[in-house]
Amino acid sequence: MVHYTTVATCALNQWALDFEGNYQRIRESILRAKALNARLRVGPELEIPGYGCYDHFLERDTVQHSWDVLARLLEDRSLDDILIDTGMPVLHRDTRYNCRVVILNGKIVLIRPKMYLANDGNYRELRWFVGWTKRAETEDFVLPRFIARITGQRSAPFGDALISTLDTCLGIEL
């Protein structure tokens, strides 16, 4: 038997370092996706801080404010019952990665670092991020304490993995 699902892909007008505005646009896109009965909502790369932060990606504040926005998404029960794929920088073992963070019902399902970084033409991602090199491997990522309090999780999987549901399997590469 074939099972169909609705996937909502979002092209948002995100602004670099506009954490409040970016949060509002992300939240609204999730609510719209839910209203259309989508089961998966996929947002733009680095949508939480905005893709064009350039050297601000090197500042720990940019990572911290991204976690602050993610916390608000995790706490908001009106965003439950849809798999949310959002983007933000993450420091893992003191190394900065461009990541997808997949959440469901106030829990972090997977933190997926980008493996293949754009580094030609207008793109200089290697200036700010490191590519994940461990194919088909994950590690435990110890969550910031305030995130752990919200999710009830001490850690989340970090790396290259698939997400399995009852009737499908999802893979992510930025």
Side-chain angles (χ1 to χ4, degrees), residues 8-23:
T9 59
C10 306
L12 304 179
N13 186 24
Q14 300 299 71
W15 290 83
L17 304 176
D18 179 15
F19 292 98
E20 180 59 31
N22 291 350
Y23 163 75

Side-chain angles (χ1 to χ4, degrees), residues 60-172:
R60 288 184 183 261
D61 278 0
T62 302
V63 175
Q64 178 61 48
H65 294 314
S66 295
W67 280 111
D68 294 339
V69 169
L70 187 70
R72 293 175 68 186
L73 296 172
L74 289 164
E75 289 176 316
D76 190 339
R77 298 284 57 93
S78 72
L79 306 181
D80 282 358
D81 302 321
I82 184 170
L83 194 62
I84 300 166
D85 177 342
T86 190
M88 62 183 258
V90 175
L91 281 171
H92 177 56
R93 299 187 178 185
D94 212 29
T95 302
R96 188 173 294 97
Y97 294 94
N98 174 353
C99 293
R100 305 303 302 171
V101 180
V102 181
I103 63 176
L104 177 66
N105 298 341
K107 305 278 186 200
I108 297 175
V109 177
L110 175 66
I111 302 172
R112 174 59 165 87
K114 188 173 183 177
M115 296 179 81
Y116 305 104
L117 300 172
N119 204 49
D120 60 358
N122 291 331
Y123 302 99
R124 296 287 176 257
E125 291 181 0
L126 285 172
R127 179 178 171 93
W128 308 298
F129 303 107
V130 171
W132 182 253
T133 58
K134 299 177 183 178
R135 187 180 170 118
E137 289 184 39
T138 63
E139 298 176 356
D140 279 339
F141 177 84
V142 177
L143 296 169
R145 286 187 187 124
F146 76 105
I147 297 292
R149 279 192 294 276
I150 294 165
T151 65
Q153 301 168 275
R154 183 184 169 278
S155 64
F158 182 100
D160 182 23
L162 300 174
I163 299 171
S164 294
T165 69
L166 292 176
D167 55 4
T168 195
C169 189
L170 303 170
I172 301 167

